[in-house]
Amino acid sequence: MATTNMLDGKVVIVTGAGGGIGRDIALMAGAHGARVVVNDIGASLDGKGEDSGPAARVVEEIRSAGGEAVANLDSVADPDSARAIVRSALDAFGRLDGVVNNAGILRDSFFHKMADEDWDRVLKVHLYGSFNVSRAAAPVFKEQQAGSVVHMTSTSGLIGNLAQANYSAAKLGIAGLSKSIALDMQRFGVRSNCIAPFAWSRMISSIKVDSPEQEERVARLQQMTPAKVAPLAVYLLSEQARTVSGQIFCVRNNEILLFSQPRPVRSVQRQDGWTPEQIAQHAMPALAASFHPLEVSADVFSWDPI
């Protein structure tokens, strides 16, 4: 139960809220006084099929706990459907104060094997979906001079991961999208932030377990429940976060981390410019000490979840 109603009176859309991280965010938002639009088409992990059950069950959970919620089954991947998601909030509750762009699918494949459809579909749901819903909400936020958008990014994009070119590209793109929204909409009192969540959900439950080391890794991941991500999302939706915008956070079990954002780390210059030979002889050797290694998320987050 919430100790304070941080979102009392607010209306929040949570996409992909039928399960996993989205479900826990929707439940906690409702527990903190928000009226929630639970958006989920009920697709499988790879984005196929539809099922009204997951969204309806989360709505019932919120209502059973004394909150207010409605289900929405529109797809974030289509602009018209995204506008329908926003309209459902306005029709049901008369306003909109926050959006959590959480909907996602996975279609992993090594790059040299990746199908055009798998690239396109993952970007449509994650990156286009985040744009579509945010764009549909933007005029509402502009008119009321307030609003908060919370996007789910991933260390797969911020750091790197194997066999996820589509997912990584989408998630890094979301970080750029969030920053642009924060910059363009700050004059209207609108905030935009990212969360890179570590959580055991069906989005990572497909990890292959074929060695004792992988079994140990999965056991650690299972400690990081979706419920651990919800408090930060609820905070970012609240008025208490009104000075927080354009940031990239990470939740890893009981840790909250702030990510750096790309900035120059080293430079070289020649008064007369460079030839390719001079770059090979001088520039690259000087810059090489600051090169970033080819790391994946597990290389950077080498310690056990706290």
Side-chain angles (χ1 to χ4, degrees), residues 125-162:
V125 175
H126 287 275
L127 182 56
Y128 281 62
S130 296
F131 168 81
N132 289 337
V133 182
S134 300
R135 178 63 183 84
V140 180
F141 290 164
K142 178 178 179 291
E143 183 176 351
Q144 68 193 23
Q145 295 288 294
S148 176
V149 189
V150 179
H151 312 267
M152 294 296 151
T153 183
S154 173
T155 56
S156 292
L158 300 170
I159 297 172
N161 209 359
L162 296 170

Side-chain angles (χ1 to χ4, degrees), residues 187 197 226:
R187 72 189 72 181

Side-chain angles (χ1 to χ4, degrees), residues 28-288:
M28 184 169 281
H32 276 269
R35 290 167 287 173
V36 185
V37 176
V38 178
N39 164 262
D40 202 301
I41 67 170
S44 62
L45 182 58
D46 63 1
K48 296 177 181 177
E50 293 184 11
D51 181 3
S52 62
R57 286 190 289 271
V58 175
V59 167
E60 183 55 36
E61 287 186 82
I62 293 172
R63 290 176 177 172
S64 296
E68 296 183 59
V70 295
N72 175 275
L73 308 180
D74 290 292
S75 171
V76 301
D78 177 76
D80 289 335
S81 294
R83 286 187 279 271
I85 297 171
V86 170
R87 282 198 304 273
S88 70
L90 300 176
D91 291 344
F93 303 121
R95 60 179 296 114
L96 177 62
D97 302 282
V99 169
V100 180
N101 286 314
N102 171 76
I105 64 171
L106 281 179
R107 293 191 182 182
D108 292 356
S109 175
F110 283 102
F111 184 70
H112 61 286
K113 299 178 181 179
M114 184 162 289
D116 294 346
E117 181 188 356
D118 292 342
W119 167 267
D120 186 64
R121 192 60 189 164
V122 168
L123 262 73
K124 280 290 176 62
V125 175
H126 287 275
L127 182 56
Y128 281 62
S130 296
F131 168 81
N132 289 337
V133 182
S134 300
R135 178 63 183 84
V140 180
F141 290 164
K142 178 178 179 291
E143 183 176 351
Q144 68 193 23
Q145 295 288 294
S148 176
V149 189
V150 179
H151 312 267
M152 294 296 151
T153 183
S154 173
T155 56
S156 292
L158 300 170
I159 297 172
N161 209 359
L162 296 170
Q164 288 194 319
N166 47 7
Y167 182 74
S168 298
K171 289 303 192 183
L172 190 56
I174 286 171
L177 171 66
S178 177
K179 192 61 172 287
S180 290
I181 294 171
L183 289 167
D184 289 352
M185 301 292 287
Q186 63 180 326
R187 72 189 72 181
F188 309 120
V190 179
R191 299 172 284 111
S192 179
N193 293 283
C194 287
I195 300 175
F198 281 78
W200 182 260
S201 68
R202 68 174 189 159
M203 287 288 285
I204 61 170
S205 62
S206 58
I207 292 175
K208 291 182 180 179
V209 180
D210 52 14
S211 68
E213 291 77 18
Q214 282 292 79
E215 288 181 5
E216 183 180 345
R217 180 190 174 213
V218 167
R220 292 196 302 270
L221 290 173
Q222 287 175 328
Q223 299 174 28
M224 300 183 290
T225 65
K228 300 282 188 175
V229 181
L232 179 57
V234 168
Y235 163 76
L236 291 172
L237 291 168
S238 77
E239 289 303 314
Q240 294 192 38
R242 59 186 172 274
T243 61
V244 182
S245 192
Q247 305 307 309
I248 303 171
F249 299 97
C250 176
V251 176
R252 190 173 184 264
N253 207 32
N254 296 318
E255 303 167 274
I256 296 177
L257 305 100
L258 176 66
F259 259 72
S260 62
Q261 299 185 32
R263 299 291 186 273
V265 295
R266 193 176 181 89
S267 67
V268 292
Q269 60 87 26
R270 291 179 67 93
Q271 185 173 347
D272 299 325
W274 296 89
T275 66
E277 293 78 13
Q278 290 169 333
I279 291 173
Q281 293 167 5
H282 301 293
M284 285 304 122
L287 296 173

